[in-house]
Amino acid sequence: MSKEMMTNRIKKIGNKRNFMLESQAKEMNENNKIVILVSKTDKGIENIDLILEPNKFEELSSKVRLSYEEYIDVINDLVEAEEAEWDELRMKDQVNITRDAIIQATILKYAQNEYGIDKNKYSGISINYDKRFDEEGRFLGEATTVTLTAIALMEVKIK
C-alpha cells in the first residue's frame, strides 16, 4: 500500500477516540455532588468508594472543615500509627501522610453529614489518587478516593 493510499485511509477513519477519557470527563462535568458515593458488595465484602473529583476540591473545603478538635484527633491518630517509623520517613513522605490523613478525615466527615455513613462500622479505610484528564487528554488533577471496607461475617470495628 502506498504512502498516499495510507494517508487517505487514515483521513477517512479519523482520529482514534479515547472513550475512557471522554466518559471520565463527561462524568466529572455532570456530577453535582461534591463527593460521589459508589457502593459495591461482593461475596459478603462491602466496599464504599467516596470519590472527590479535582474540580470539587474547593467546594468541599468551603462546605466541610474539620474543627480544631477533629484536626488534633487526626494528627494524634496519625502520630500514634506512624510513631515507630516516623524517624525513617523522608520529609516528603511525612508531608504526604499528613495531607492524606486530613483529606481523608474531611471526606469522611462530609460522607457522615451527607450520606449518614459511620466510619466506625468499617474494618478498613484507605485513600488512593487517580489521574483525571479532559476529552483532549489534558491533565486536570487527581481524584481522591476514600474506600471503606466491611466484611459482613467478621463485624470488625475500628476504635
Side-chain angles (χ1 to χ4, degrees), residues 46-50 104 124-128 145-149:
E46 178 187 11
N47 283 318
I48 293 180
D49 288 337
L50 302 166
Q104 178 176 297
I125 301 174
S126 64
I127 187 168
N128 292 297
T145 303
V146 173
T147 302
L148 303 168
T149 304

Side-chain angles (χ1 to χ4, degrees), residues 125-143:
I125 301 174
S126 64
I127 187 168
N128 292 297
Y129 297 93
D130 299 304
K131 294 181 187 315
R132 294 290 196 243
F133 302 90
D134 67 7
E135 291 94 345
E136 284 82 43
R138 292 181 299 239
F139 180 68
L140 297 173
E142 291 184 320

Side-chain angles (χ1 to χ4, degrees), residues 63-81:
K63 178 141 177 124
V64 176
R65 291 192 184 174
L66 299 177
S67 68
Y68 180 75
E69 290 78 20
E70 290 168 331
Y71 182 86
I72 296 300
D73 287 343
V74 168
I75 298 301
N76 284 336
D77 290 346
L78 172 67
V79 169
E80 281 179 28

Side-chain angles (χ1 to χ4, degrees), residues 39-68:
S39 180
K40 299 170 256 174
T41 303
D42 185 29
K43 297 178 184 170
I45 299 173
E46 178 187 11
N47 283 318
I48 293 180
D49 288 337
L50 302 166
I51 305 165
L52 175 66
E53 295 294 348
N55 63 339
K56 299 289 184 176
F57 196 87
E58 291 299 321
E59 208 173 328
L60 175 69
S61 67
S62 65
K63 178 141 177 124
V64 176
R65 291 192 184 174
L66 299 177
S67 68
Y68 180 75

Side-chain angles (χ1 to χ4, degrees), residues 97-109:
I97 290 169
T98 306
R99 177 203 63 202
D100 290 351
I102 293 167
I103 292 171
Q104 178 176 297
T106 306
I107 290 172
L108 289 172
K109 183 175 181 177

Side-chain angles (χ1 to χ4, degrees), residues 82 85-95 97:
E82 299 294 331
E85 295 88 26
W86 192 257
D87 291 333
E88 285 96 43
L89 294 173
R90 300 174 303 169
M91 183 181 74
K92 179 180 179 180
D93 296 330
Q94 293 172 342
V95 169
I97 290 169

